[in-house]
Amino acid sequence: MPAFVSDANKSRFRLFTLATLAASTALGSAAARADTTLTVATVNNGDMIIMQQLTPEFEKTHPGIHIRWVTLEENVLRQRVTTDIATSAGQFDVMTIGNYEVPIWAKQKWLTQITPDAAYDVSDILPPVREGISVDQKIYALPFYAESVMTYYRTDLFKKAGITMASQPTYDEIRQYADKITDKSNQIYGLCLRGKPGWGENMAYLTSLVNTFGGQWFGQGWKATVDTAPWKAAVNWYVSGLKEDGPPGATSNGFNENLALFASGHCGMWIDSTVAGGLLFDPKQSKVASEVGFAPSPKGPYGKGPTWLWSWNLAIPASSKHQAEAQAFVTWATSKEYVQLVAQQKGWVAVPAGTRASTYANPAYQKAAPFASFVMNAINTADPNGQTANPRPYTGAQFVGIPQFQAIGTQVGQIVAAALSGQTTVDQALKSAQSSVTRTARQTHLGG
């Protein structure tokens, strides 16, 4: 400070300097608080890739919030987010999880309750989907897309073979169709199904297949019922069908791999998630967009059984340190406005499916997506808690709604994949699976 400044002015200068310093520190702290990075874990499915591409639109309207994506293959995602949330590690602020995890984790108090404002319009979410993300009428995740299951087929191949898809196909008919349209010399495979091991990969399909063949995972008293006649019939159908009419290396094919095979013209039929419709009918992503037909999921000997209902949801772990920012992101990414944004940027056929009634009521979506009414009806009538041929102590259609199923389903998925690859027989595989399930149930005190 200059020597000629008076004592009074020296005091004023010190007060001014301290005030300026305090103000600048406060501003710096506020800026630091506002500049938040959310880490979002998601699966590498097409709809989630679009969400990442559109993230800059969120960041424009929410300055100071930045999104860091961790995009993982489905089995890896499940392992990572389960480990993170169970240990309260806090690596992720938003997780992409299914309606399998939501009720289990919410009851463990691992998830934050989500409370969208009135403009979000929770009542617009289709009732079965809304039920799957709620516990005691409180919402613990928001659905990005939802699905049931359907049969996709190539209309040109059916016409060439002189066959017609049944309005409600049976699994016997599916096998007959596959035999007639398979042309391995031209790399056209009549039947594509999930073969990649995992509780949410091959076992999601296998569980629904077993249901309609009259089987189930557990009987009364939580006794494992894997090594039974319905399981043998279902798994034999699956293994023999893929060996005769499926692509090579089927144990490497999950949802995404089969989607790529069908979209590139190598699958004659594919039984899988209804969400694939938006991708297969999109000429930007599918070489066979003009030649795709669809029908209900096939029925087996039992015919009835629980029906597939799945949703991929955005949830906020209780361990996140950025709760408000995370709520802002998950509401944006699942909102009506986001649906409109995808429609503007990618076309109506590419919007997230299966969640909002307003999407299915939109004439532009109905025109772009010929499968729209079929899918909405499949989701609205899905019955994941329906009866199996014999009484069962659990709920779920393509999974068992218990925490132990991640381990059980993964173990059995690997055993079934070994049968599919020819390393073991179906009978040997099911004996091994029965022992594995029984052992895990006993070790985890399933049923008491």
Side-chain angles (χ1 to χ4, degrees), residues 119-165:
Y120 182 84
D121 194 5
V122 169
S123 64
D124 188 46
I125 299 173
L126 297 177
V129 179
R130 191 165 68 243
E131 181 180 343
I133 56 173
S134 303
V135 175
D136 297 330
Q137 298 183 325
K138 296 177 181 178
I139 292 176
Y140 286 90
L142 293 177
F144 186 66
Y145 73 71
E147 64 190 43
S148 187
V149 64
M150 62 198 286
T151 303
Y152 301 97
Y153 67 98
R154 287 272 299 279
T155 56
D156 57 328
L157 298 180
F158 269 60
K159 184 177 180 180
K160 181 180 177 182
I163 55 178
T164 302
M165 173 66 74

mmCIF file of all heavy atoms in Angstrom, residues 119-165:
data_model
loop_
_atom_site.group_PDB
_atom_site.id
_atom_site.type_symbol
_atom_site.label_atom_id
_atom_site.label_comp_id
_atom_site.label_asym_id
_atom_site.label_seq_id
_atom_site.Cartn_x
_atom_site.Cartn_y
_atom_site.Cartn_z
ATOM 1 N N ALA A 119 -46.101 -31.396 -14.786
ATOM 2 C CA ALA A 119 -45.896 -31.316 -16.239
ATOM 3 C C ALA A 119 -45.342 -32.616 -16.809
ATOM 4 O O ALA A 119 -45.542 -32.909 -17.992
ATOM 5 C CB ALA A 119 -44.952 -30.166 -16.570
ATOM 6 N N TYR A 120 -44.669 -33.406 -15.985
ATOM 7 C CA TYR A 120 -44.108 -34.679 -16.458
ATOM 8 C C TYR A 120 -45.211 -35.654 -16.847
ATOM 9 O O TYR A 120 -45.050 -36.454 -17.757
ATOM 10 C CB TYR A 120 -43.218 -35.278 -15.372
ATOM 11 C CG TYR A 120 -42.556 -36.575 -15.783
ATOM 12 C CD1 TYR A 120 -41.377 -36.579 -16.513
ATOM 13 C CD2 TYR A 120 -43.126 -37.801 -15.442
ATOM 14 C CE1 TYR A 120 -40.780 -37.772 -16.896
ATOM 15 C CE2 TYR A 120 -42.532 -38.993 -15.818
ATOM 16 C CZ TYR A 120 -41.363 -38.968 -16.553
ATOM 17 O OH TYR A 120 -40.779 -40.144 -16.930
ATOM 18 N N ASP A 121 -46.331 -35.575 -16.128
ATOM 19 C CA ASP A 121 -47.514 -36.388 -16.423
ATOM 20 C C ASP A 121 -47.247 -37.875 -16.230
ATOM 21 O O ASP A 121 -47.213 -38.661 -17.178
ATOM 22 C CB ASP A 121 -48.020 -36.112 -17.845
ATOM 23 C CG ASP A 121 -49.425 -36.677 -18.074
ATOM 24 O OD1 ASP A 121 -50.019 -37.193 -17.108
ATOM 25 O OD2 ASP A 121 -49.918 -36.601 -19.217
ATOM 26 N N VAL A 122 -47.105 -38.268 -14.974
ATOM 27 C CA VAL A 122 -46.879 -39.667 -14.632
ATOM 28 C C VAL A 122 -48.035 -40.543 -15.117
ATOM 29 O O VAL A 122 -47.836 -41.697 -15.505
ATOM 30 C CB VAL A 122 -46.689 -39.814 -13.102
ATOM 31 C CG1 VAL A 122 -46.713 -41.281 -12.683
ATOM 32 C CG2 VAL A 122 -45.370 -39.185 -12.675
ATOM 33 N N SER A 123 -49.248 -40.004 -15.131
ATOM 34 C CA SER A 123 -50.411 -40.796 -15.542
ATOM 35 C C SER A 123 -50.349 -41.196 -17.011
ATOM 36 O O SER A 123 -51.087 -42.084 -17.452
ATOM 37 C CB SER A 123 -51.697 -40.009 -15.280
ATOM 38 O OG SER A 123 -51.738 -38.835 -16.069
ATOM 39 N N ASP A 124 -49.470 -40.568 -17.786
ATOM 40 C CA ASP A 124 -49.303 -40.900 -19.196
ATOM 41 C C ASP A 124 -48.512 -42.195 -19.394
ATOM 42 O O ASP A 124 -48.557 -42.805 -20.467
ATOM 43 C CB ASP A 124 -48.601 -39.733 -19.913
ATOM 44 C CG ASP A 124 -48.557 -39.885 -21.424
ATOM 45 O OD1 ASP A 124 -49.600 -40.232 -22.012
ATOM 46 O OD2 ASP A 124 -47.485 -39.664 -22.003
ATOM 47 N N ILE A 125 -47.781 -42.624 -18.363
ATOM 48 C CA ILE A 125 -47.021 -43.874 -18.452
ATOM 49 C C ILE A 125 -47.999 -45.043 -18.435
ATOM 50 O O ILE A 125 -48.918 -45.082 -17.605
ATOM 51 C CB ILE A 125 -46.015 -43.988 -17.292
ATOM 52 C CG1 ILE A 125 -45.002 -42.831 -17.345
ATOM 53 C CG2 ILE A 125 -45.285 -45.318 -17.330
ATOM 54 C CD1 ILE A 125 -44.076 -42.759 -16.143
ATOM 55 N N LEU A 126 -47.827 -45.994 -19.339
ATOM 56 C CA LEU A 126 -48.739 -47.130 -19.431
ATOM 57 C C LEU A 126 -48.811 -47.854 -18.079
ATOM 58 O O LEU A 126 -47.774 -48.090 -17.443
ATOM 59 C CB LEU A 126 -48.283 -48.092 -20.516
ATOM 60 C CG LEU A 126 -48.278 -47.519 -21.949
ATOM 61 C CD1 LEU A 126 -47.740 -48.565 -22.933
ATOM 62 C CD2 LEU A 126 -49.666 -47.060 -22.369
ATOM 63 N N PRO A 127 -50.006 -48.203 -17.605
ATOM 64 C CA PRO A 127 -50.184 -48.746 -16.251
ATOM 65 C C PRO A 127 -49.295 -49.930 -15.896
ATOM 66 O O PRO A 127 -48.706 -49.934 -14.799
ATOM 67 C CB PRO A 127 -51.673 -49.120 -16.223
ATOM 68 C CG PRO A 127 -52.311 -48.155 -17.171
ATOM 69 C CD PRO A 127 -51.308 -47.961 -18.279
ATOM 70 N N PRO A 128 -49.123 -50.956 -16.757
ATOM 71 C CA PRO A 128 -48.255 -52.066 -16.349
ATOM 72 C C PRO A 128 -46.804 -51.635 -16.143
ATOM 73 O O PRO A 128 -46.100 -52.187 -15.296
ATOM 74 C CB PRO A 128 -48.367 -53.058 -17.523
ATOM 75 C CG PRO A 128 -49.625 -52.691 -18.233
ATOM 76 C CD PRO A 128 -49.738 -51.209 -18.072
ATOM 77 N N VAL A 129 -46.372 -50.655 -16.914
ATOM 78 C CA VAL A 129 -45.000 -50.157 -16.789
ATOM 79 C C VAL A 129 -44.864 -49.358 -15.497
ATOM 80 O O VAL A 129 -43.882 -49.507 -14.751
ATOM 81 C CB VAL A 129 -44.617 -49.296 -18.007
ATOM 82 C CG1 VAL A 129 -43.205 -48.746 -17.867
ATOM 83 C CG2 VAL A 129 -44.759 -50.105 -19.293
ATOM 84 N N ARG A 130 -45.859 -48.525 -15.222
ATOM 85 C CA ARG A 130 -45.834 -47.710 -14.005
ATOM 86 C C ARG A 130 -45.844 -48.598 -12.760
ATOM 87 O O ARG A 130 -45.154 -48.321 -11.776
ATOM 88 C CB ARG A 130 -47.030 -46.755 -14.009
ATOM 89 C CG ARG A 130 -46.961 -45.672 -12.936
ATOM 90 C CD ARG A 130 -47.949 -44.561 -13.196
ATOM 91 N NE ARG A 130 -49.332 -44.983 -13.045
ATOM 92 C CZ ARG A 130 -50.234 -44.989 -14.027
ATOM 93 N NH1 ARG A 130 -49.902 -44.595 -15.236
ATOM 94 N NH2 ARG A 130 -51.472 -45.370 -13.799
ATOM 95 N N GLU A 131 -46.582 -49.671 -12.815
ATOM 96 C CA GLU A 131 -46.645 -50.594 -11.681
ATOM 97 C C GLU A 131 -45.281 -51.225 -11.411
ATOM 98 O O GLU A 131 -44.897 -51.424 -10.256
ATOM 99 C CB GLU A 131 -47.669 -51.690 -11.971
ATOM 100 C CG GLU A 131 -47.840 -52.695 -10.846
ATOM 101 C CD GLU A 131 -48.860 -53.772 -11.180
ATOM 102 O OE1 GLU A 131 -49.654 -53.583 -12.118
ATOM 103 O OE2 GLU A 131 -48.843 -54.824 -10.503
ATOM 104 N N GLY A 132 -44.522 -51.499 -12.476
ATOM 105 C CA GLY A 132 -43.230 -52.151 -12.322
ATOM 106 C C GLY A 132 -42.144 -51.288 -11.715
ATOM 107 O O GLY A 132 -41.104 -51.806 -11.290
ATOM 108 N N ILE A 133 -42.363 -49.970 -11.686
ATOM 109 C CA ILE A 133 -41.349 -49.061 -11.131
ATOM 110 C C ILE A 133 -41.797 -48.443 -9.811
ATOM 111 O O ILE A 133 -41.159 -47.514 -9.307
ATOM 112 C CB ILE A 133 -41.007 -47.936 -12.140
ATOM 113 C CG1 ILE A 133 -42.262 -47.170 -12.548
ATOM 114 C CG2 ILE A 133 -40.292 -48.517 -13.350
ATOM 115 C CD1 ILE A 133 -42.024 -45.941 -13.399
ATOM 116 N N SER A 134 -42.889 -48.968 -9.268
ATOM 117 C CA SER A 134 -43.467 -48.399 -8.046
ATOM 118 C C SER A 134 -43.427 -49.404 -6.905
ATOM 119 O O SER A 134 -43.582 -50.607 -7.111
ATOM 120 C CB SER A 134 -44.922 -47.974 -8.290
ATOM 121 O OG SER A 134 -45.019 -47.054 -9.361
ATOM 122 N N VAL A 135 -43.229 -48.890 -5.712
ATOM 123 C CA VAL A 135 -43.317 -49.680 -4.483
ATOM 124 C C VAL A 135 -44.143 -48.856 -3.500
ATOM 125 O O VAL A 135 -43.821 -47.690 -3.228
ATOM 126 C CB VAL A 135 -41.922 -49.977 -3.895
ATOM 127 C CG1 VAL A 135 -42.057 -50.697 -2.553
ATOM 128 C CG2 VAL A 135 -41.099 -50.805 -4.863
ATOM 129 N N ASP A 136 -45.220 -49.441 -3.013
ATOM 130 C CA ASP A 136 -46.128 -48.740 -2.101
ATOM 131 C C ASP A 136 -46.572 -47.400 -2.698
ATOM 132 O O ASP A 136 -46.606 -46.368 -2.016
ATOM 133 C CB ASP A 136 -45.457 -48.512 -0.738
ATOM 134 C CG ASP A 136 -45.133 -49.823 -0.040
ATOM 135 O OD1 ASP A 136 -45.863 -50.799 -0.260
ATOM 136 O OD2 ASP A 136 -44.129 -49.859 0.704
ATOM 137 N N GLN A 137 -46.863 -47.428 -3.989
ATOM 138 C CA GLN A 137 -47.360 -46.267 -4.749
ATOM 139 C C GLN A 137 -46.356 -45.120 -4.832
ATOM 140 O O GLN A 137 -46.717 -44.000 -5.187
ATOM 141 C CB GLN A 137 -48.695 -45.773 -4.165
ATOM 142 C CG GLN A 137 -49.795 -46.844 -4.241
ATOM 143 C CD GLN A 137 -51.123 -46.355 -3.744
ATOM 144 O OE1 GLN A 137 -51.194 -45.564 -2.803
ATOM 145 N NE2 GLN A 137 -52.195 -46.795 -4.378
ATOM 146 N N LYS A 138 -45.109 -45.397 -4.555
ATOM 147 C CA LYS A 138 -44.043 -44.407 -4.723
ATOM 148 C C LYS A 138 -43.161 -44.856 -5.879
ATOM 149 O O LYS A 138 -42.875 -46.045 -6.035
ATOM 150 C CB LYS A 138 -43.207 -44.280 -3.447
ATOM 151 C CG LYS A 138 -43.997 -43.747 -2.251
ATOM 152 C CD LYS A 138 -43.132 -43.716 -0.998
ATOM 153 C CE LYS A 138 -43.927 -43.202 0.201
ATOM 154 N NZ LYS A 138 -43.095 -43.223 1.453
ATOM 155 N N ILE A 139 -42.710 -43.891 -6.692
ATOM 156 C CA ILE A 139 -41.940 -44.200 -7.894
ATOM 157 C C ILE A 139 -40.441 -44.135 -7.584
ATOM 158 O O ILE A 139 -39.952 -43.160 -7.001
ATOM 159 C CB ILE A 139 -42.311 -43.233 -9.029
ATOM 160 C CG1 ILE A 139 -43.743 -43.505 -9.478
ATOM 161 C CG2 ILE A 139 -41.350 -43.369 -10.215
ATOM 162 C CD1 ILE A 139 -44.254 -42.543 -10.526
ATOM 163 N N TYR A 140 -39.712 -45.182 -7.997
ATOM 164 C CA TYR A 140 -38.285 -45.255 -7.700
ATOM 165 C C TYR A 140 -37.412 -45.308 -8.963
ATOM 166 O O TYR A 140 -36.204 -45.495 -8.869
ATOM 167 C CB TYR A 140 -37.996 -46.461 -6.815
ATOM 168 C CG TYR A 140 -38.462 -46.243 -5.401
ATOM 169 C CD1 TYR A 140 -39.752 -46.603 -5.014
ATOM 170 C CD2 TYR A 140 -37.641 -45.629 -4.451
ATOM 171 C CE1 TYR A 140 -40.196 -46.384 -3.711
ATOM 172 C CE2 TYR A 140 -38.070 -45.398 -3.155
ATOM 173 C CZ TYR A 140 -39.352 -45.778 -2.792
ATOM 174 O OH TYR A 140 -39.780 -45.549 -1.504
ATOM 175 N N ALA A 141 -38.016 -45.146 -10.129
ATOM 176 C CA ALA A 141 -37.279 -45.069 -11.392
ATOM 177 C C ALA A 141 -38.252 -44.541 -12.429
ATOM 178 O O ALA A 141 -39.473 -44.571 -12.232
ATOM 179 C CB ALA A 141 -36.746 -46.437 -11.807
ATOM 180 N N LEU A 142 -37.708 -44.046 -13.545
ATOM 181 C CA LEU A 142 -38.562 -43.578 -14.639
ATOM 182 C C LEU A 142 -38.229 -44.386 -15.885
ATOM 183 O O LEU A 142 -37.054 -44.597 -16.202
ATOM 184 C CB LEU A 142 -38.361 -42.083 -14.883
ATOM 185 C CG LEU A 142 -38.844 -41.180 -13.749
ATOM 186 C CD1 LEU A 142 -38.524 -39.717 -14.057
ATOM 187 C CD2 LEU A 142 -40.338 -41.348 -13.489
ATOM 188 N N PRO A 143 -39.250 -44.843 -16.618
ATOM 189 C CA PRO A 143 -39.015 -45.762 -17.739
ATOM 190 C C PRO A 143 -38.526 -45.048 -18.991
ATOM 191 O O PRO A 143 -39.148 -44.101 -19.463
ATOM 192 C CB PRO A 143 -40.387 -46.385 -17.966
ATOM 193 C CG PRO A 143 -41.349 -45.323 -17.534
ATOM 194 C CD PRO A 143 -40.681 -44.601 -16.396
ATOM 195 N N PHE A 144 -37.411 -45.521 -19.531
ATOM 196 C CA PHE A 144 -36.893 -44.980 -20.784
ATOM 197 C C PHE A 144 -37.561 -45.668 -21.964
ATOM 198 O O PHE A 144 -38.017 -45.036 -22.898
ATOM 199 C CB PHE A 144 -35.378 -45.142 -20.852
ATOM 200 C CG PHE A 144 -34.781 -44.477 -22.056
ATOM 201 C CD1 PHE A 144 -34.832 -43.102 -22.181
ATOM 202 C CD2 PHE A 144 -34.196 -45.215 -23.069
ATOM 203 C CE1 PHE A 144 -34.313 -42.484 -23.305
ATOM 204 C CE2 PHE A 144 -33.668 -44.603 -24.183
ATOM 205 C CZ PHE A 144 -33.724 -43.229 -24.306
ATOM 206 N N TYR A 145 -37.605 -47.007 -21.927
ATOM 207 C CA TYR A 145 -38.481 -47.715 -22.858
ATOM 208 C C TYR A 145 -38.939 -49.009 -22.211
ATOM 209 O O TYR A 145 -38.335 -49.491 -21.253
ATOM 210 C CB TYR A 145 -37.839 -47.946 -24.227
ATOM 211 C CG TYR A 145 -36.738 -48.980 -24.337
ATOM 212 C CD1 TYR A 145 -36.994 -50.346 -24.238
ATOM 213 C CD2 TYR A 145 -35.432 -48.592 -24.614
ATOM 214 C CE1 TYR A 145 -35.988 -51.290 -24.387
ATOM 215 C CE2 TYR A 145 -34.416 -49.538 -24.767
ATOM 216 C CZ TYR A 145 -34.706 -50.881 -24.649
ATOM 217 O OH TYR A 145 -33.712 -51.816 -24.795
ATOM 218 N N ALA A 146 -40.030 -49.560 -22.733
ATOM 219 C CA ALA A 146 -40.594 -50.786 -22.197
ATOM 220 C C ALA A 146 -40.925 -51.726 -23.341
ATOM 221 O O ALA A 146 -41.046 -51.308 -24.495
ATOM 222 C CB ALA A 146 -41.835 -50.489 -21.358
ATOM 223 N N GLU A 147 -41.085 -53.002 -23.004
ATOM 224 C CA GLU A 147 -41.242 -54.001 -24.052
ATOM 225 C C GLU A 147 -42.033 -55.202 -23.561
ATOM 226 O O GLU A 147 -42.077 -55.501 -22.374
ATOM 227 C CB GLU A 147 -39.869 -54.489 -24.518
ATOM 228 C CG GLU A 147 -39.111 -55.206 -23.415
ATOM 229 C CD GLU A 147 -37.657 -55.505 -23.750
ATOM 230 O OE1 GLU A 147 -36.977 -54.619 -24.307
ATOM 231 O OE2 GLU A 147 -37.215 -56.625 -23.437
ATOM 232 N N SER A 148 -42.649 -55.879 -24.513
ATOM 233 C CA SER A 148 -43.111 -57.238 -24.331
ATOM 234 C C SER A 148 -42.317 -58.066 -25.340
ATOM 235 O O SER A 148 -41.169 -57.730 -25.623
ATOM 236 C CB SER A 148 -44.618 -57.346 -24.536
ATOM 237 O OG SER A 148 -45.074 -58.652 -24.196
ATOM 238 N N VAL A 149 -42.905 -59.106 -25.905
ATOM 239 C CA VAL A 149 -42.168 -59.956 -26.831
ATOM 240 C C VAL A 149 -43.035 -60.233 -28.051
ATOM 241 O O VAL A 149 -44.262 -60.289 -27.953
ATOM 242 C CB VAL A 149 -41.734 -61.273 -26.133
ATOM 243 C CG1 VAL A 149 -42.942 -62.084 -25.714
ATOM 244 C CG2 VAL A 149 -40.806 -62.092 -27.003
ATOM 245 N N MET A 150 -42.414 -60.388 -29.216
ATOM 246 C CA MET A 150 -43.140 -60.663 -30.448
ATOM 247 C C MET A 150 -42.256 -61.452 -31.409
ATOM 248 O O MET A 150 -41.053 -61.620 -31.177
ATOM 249 C CB MET A 150 -43.633 -59.368 -31.092
ATOM 250 C CG MET A 150 -42.535 -58.410 -31.520
ATOM 251 S SD MET A 150 -43.130 -56.707 -31.774
ATOM 252 C CE MET A 150 -44.017 -56.838 -33.322
ATOM 253 N N THR A 151 -42.859 -61.927 -32.480
ATOM 254 C CA THR A 151 -42.151 -62.687 -33.503
ATOM 255 C C THR A 151 -41.945 -61.810 -34.727
ATOM 256 O O THR A 151 -42.920 -61.292 -35.291
ATOM 257 C CB THR A 151 -42.951 -63.936 -33.906
ATOM 258 O OG1 THR A 151 -43.190 -64.735 -32.740
ATOM 259 C CG2 THR A 151 -42.195 -64.764 -34.941
ATOM 260 N N TYR A 152 -40.707 -61.603 -35.132
ATOM 261 C CA TYR A 152 -40.381 -60.876 -36.364
ATOM 262 C C TYR A 152 -40.064 -61.904 -37.450
ATOM 263 O O TYR A 152 -39.434 -62.927 -37.176
ATOM 264 C CB TYR A 152 -39.167 -59.966 -36.157
ATOM 265 C CG TYR A 152 -39.341 -58.934 -35.076
ATOM 266 C CD1 TYR A 152 -38.853 -59.167 -33.783
ATOM 267 C CD2 TYR A 152 -39.999 -57.737 -35.321
ATOM 268 C CE1 TYR A 152 -39.020 -58.223 -32.784
ATOM 269 C CE2 TYR A 152 -40.174 -56.785 -34.319
ATOM 270 C CZ TYR A 152 -39.680 -57.041 -33.055
ATOM 271 O OH TYR A 152 -39.854 -56.119 -32.059
ATOM 272 N N TYR A 153 -40.492 -61.628 -38.670
ATOM 273 C CA TYR A 153 -40.172 -62.562 -39.755
ATOM 274 C C TYR A 153 -40.042 -61.807 -41.074
ATOM 275 O O TYR A 153 -40.570 -60.700 -41.248
ATOM 276 C CB TYR A 153 -41.219 -63.676 -39.861
ATOM 277 C CG TYR A 153 -42.596 -63.218 -40.291
ATOM 278 C CD1 TYR A 153 -43.010 -63.334 -41.618
ATOM 279 C CD2 TYR A 153 -43.508 -62.699 -39.371
ATOM 280 C CE1 TYR A 153 -44.278 -62.939 -42.017
ATOM 281 C CE2 TYR A 153 -44.769 -62.300 -39.762
ATOM 282 C CZ TYR A 153 -45.160 -62.424 -41.079
ATOM 283 O OH TYR A 153 -46.415 -62.018 -41.475
ATOM 284 N N ARG A 154 -39.352 -62.424 -42.001
ATOM 285 C CA ARG A 154 -39.128 -61.841 -43.323
ATOM 286 C C ARG A 154 -40.272 -62.242 -44.259
ATOM 287 O O ARG A 154 -40.411 -63.411 -44.641
ATOM 288 C CB ARG A 154 -37.796 -62.331 -43.877
ATOM 289 C CG ARG A 154 -36.565 -61.727 -43.211
ATOM 290 C CD ARG A 154 -36.158 -60.423 -43.881
ATOM 291 N NE ARG A 154 -35.835 -60.672 -45.275
ATOM 292 C CZ ARG A 154 -34.676 -61.158 -45.709
ATOM 293 N NH1 ARG A 154 -33.721 -61.474 -44.845
ATOM 294 N NH2 ARG A 154 -34.462 -61.346 -47.004
ATOM 295 N N THR A 155 -41.076 -61.276 -44.640
ATOM 296 C CA THR A 155 -42.223 -61.561 -45.507
ATOM 297 C C THR A 155 -41.780 -62.070 -46.879
ATOM 298 O O THR A 155 -42.454 -62.924 -47.469
ATOM 299 C CB THR A 155 -43.083 -60.310 -45.675
ATOM 300 O OG1 THR A 155 -42.265 -59.226 -46.177
ATOM 301 C CG2 THR A 155 -43.691 -59.883 -44.342
ATOM 302 N N ASP A 156 -40.647 -61.562 -47.391
ATOM 303 C CA ASP A 156 -40.186 -62.009 -48.712
ATOM 304 C C ASP A 156 -39.756 -63.472 -48.687
ATOM 305 O O ASP A 156 -40.013 -64.224 -49.638
ATOM 306 C CB ASP A 156 -39.044 -61.112 -49.210
ATOM 307 C CG ASP A 156 -37.864 -61.063 -48.246
ATOM 308 O OD1 ASP A 156 -38.087 -61.170 -47.020
ATOM 309 O OD2 ASP A 156 -36.719 -60.930 -48.713
ATOM 310 N N LEU A 157 -39.119 -63.908 -47.599
ATOM 311 C CA LEU A 157 -38.698 -65.296 -47.495
ATOM 312 C C LEU A 157 -39.896 -66.225 -47.347
ATOM 313 O O LEU A 157 -39.913 -67.337 -47.888
ATOM 314 C CB LEU A 157 -37.738 -65.482 -46.321
ATOM 315 C CG LEU A 157 -36.416 -64.708 -46.377
ATOM 316 C CD1 LEU A 157 -35.575 -65.002 -45.138
ATOM 317 C CD2 LEU A 157 -35.633 -65.043 -47.646
ATOM 318 N N PHE A 158 -40.888 -65.780 -46.598
ATOM 319 C CA PHE A 158 -42.105 -66.589 -46.450
ATOM 320 C C PHE A 158 -42.825 -66.721 -47.798
ATOM 321 O O PHE A 158 -43.297 -67.813 -48.154
ATOM 322 C CB PHE A 158 -43.029 -65.961 -45.402
ATOM 323 C CG PHE A 158 -42.795 -66.461 -44.012
ATOM 324 C CD1 PHE A 158 -41.554 -66.306 -43.404
ATOM 325 C CD2 PHE A 158 -43.794 -67.091 -43.302
ATOM 326 C CE1 PHE A 158 -41.327 -66.767 -42.116
ATOM 327 C CE2 PHE A 158 -43.577 -67.562 -42.014
ATOM 328 C CZ PHE A 158 -42.339 -67.407 -41.418
ATOM 329 N N LYS A 159 -42.892 -65.629 -48.530
ATOM 330 C CA LYS A 159 -43.552 -65.665 -49.839
ATOM 331 C C LYS A 159 -42.808 -66.605 -50.786
ATOM 332 O O LYS A 159 -43.418 -67.421 -51.502
ATOM 333 C CB LYS A 159 -43.614 -64.258 -50.424
ATOM 334 C CG LYS A 159 -44.364 -64.178 -51.750
ATOM 335 C CD LYS A 159 -44.444 -62.730 -52.234
ATOM 336 C CE LYS A 159 -45.200 -62.651 -53.555
ATOM 337 N NZ LYS A 159 -45.284 -61.248 -54.045
ATOM 338 N N LYS A 160 -41.490 -66.524 -50.774
ATOM 339 C CA LYS A 160 -40.673 -67.376 -51.646
ATOM 340 C C LYS A 160 -40.877 -68.850 -51.310
ATOM 341 O O LYS A 160 -40.902 -69.714 -52.205
ATOM 342 C CB LYS A 160 -39.202 -66.986 -51.477
ATOM 343 C CG LYS A 160 -38.247 -67.782 -52.361
ATOM 344 C CD LYS A 160 -36.811 -67.329 -52.122
ATOM 345 C CE LYS A 160 -35.829 -68.157 -52.948
ATOM 346 N NZ LYS A 160 -34.419 -67.754 -52.680
ATOM 347 N N ALA A 161 -41.034 -69.164 -50.018
ATOM 348 C CA ALA A 161 -41.215 -70.551 -49.582
ATOM 349 C C ALA A 161 -42.666 -71.018 -49.700
ATOM 350 O O ALA A 161 -42.958 -72.197 -49.463
ATOM 351 C CB ALA A 161 -40.733 -70.713 -48.146
ATOM 352 N N GLY A 162 -43.572 -70.084 -50.044
ATOM 353 C CA GLY A 162 -44.978 -70.437 -50.185
ATOM 354 C C GLY A 162 -45.675 -70.730 -48.874
ATOM 355 O O GLY A 162 -46.582 -71.568 -48.813
ATOM 356 N N ILE A 163 -45.273 -70.046 -47.804
ATOM 357 C CA ILE A 163 -45.876 -70.269 -46.485
ATOM 358 C C ILE A 163 -46.432 -68.950 -45.944
ATOM 359 O O ILE A 163 -46.034 -67.865 -46.370
ATOM 360 C CB ILE A 163 -44.864 -70.870 -45.491
ATOM 361 C CG1 ILE A 163 -43.594 -69.999 -45.398
ATOM 362 C CG2 ILE A 163 -44.504 -72.292 -45.878
ATOM 363 C CD1 ILE A 163 -42.561 -70.503 -44.399
ATOM 364 N N THR A 164 -47.354 -69.063 -44.998
ATOM 365 C CA THR A 164 -47.987 -67.899 -44.390
ATOM 366 C C THR A 164 -47.855 -67.992 -42.878
ATOM 367 O O THR A 164 -48.151 -69.052 -42.286
ATOM 368 C CB THR A 164 -49.483 -67.824 -44.761
ATOM 369 O OG1 THR A 164 -49.597 -67.781 -46.180
ATOM 370 C CG2 THR A 164 -50.135 -66.587 -44.155
ATOM 371 N N MET A 165 -47.436 -66.922 -42.244
ATOM 372 C CA MET A 165 -47.323 -66.889 -40.786
ATOM 373 C C MET A 165 -48.714 -66.992 -40.169
ATOM 374 O O MET A 165 -49.632 -66.267 -40.553
ATOM 375 C CB MET A 165 -46.631 -65.598 -40.334
ATOM 376 C CG MET A 165 -46.608 -65.388 -38.823
ATOM 377 S SD MET A 165 -45.602 -66.591 -37.898
ATOM 378 C CE MET A 165 -43.938 -66.035 -38.285
#
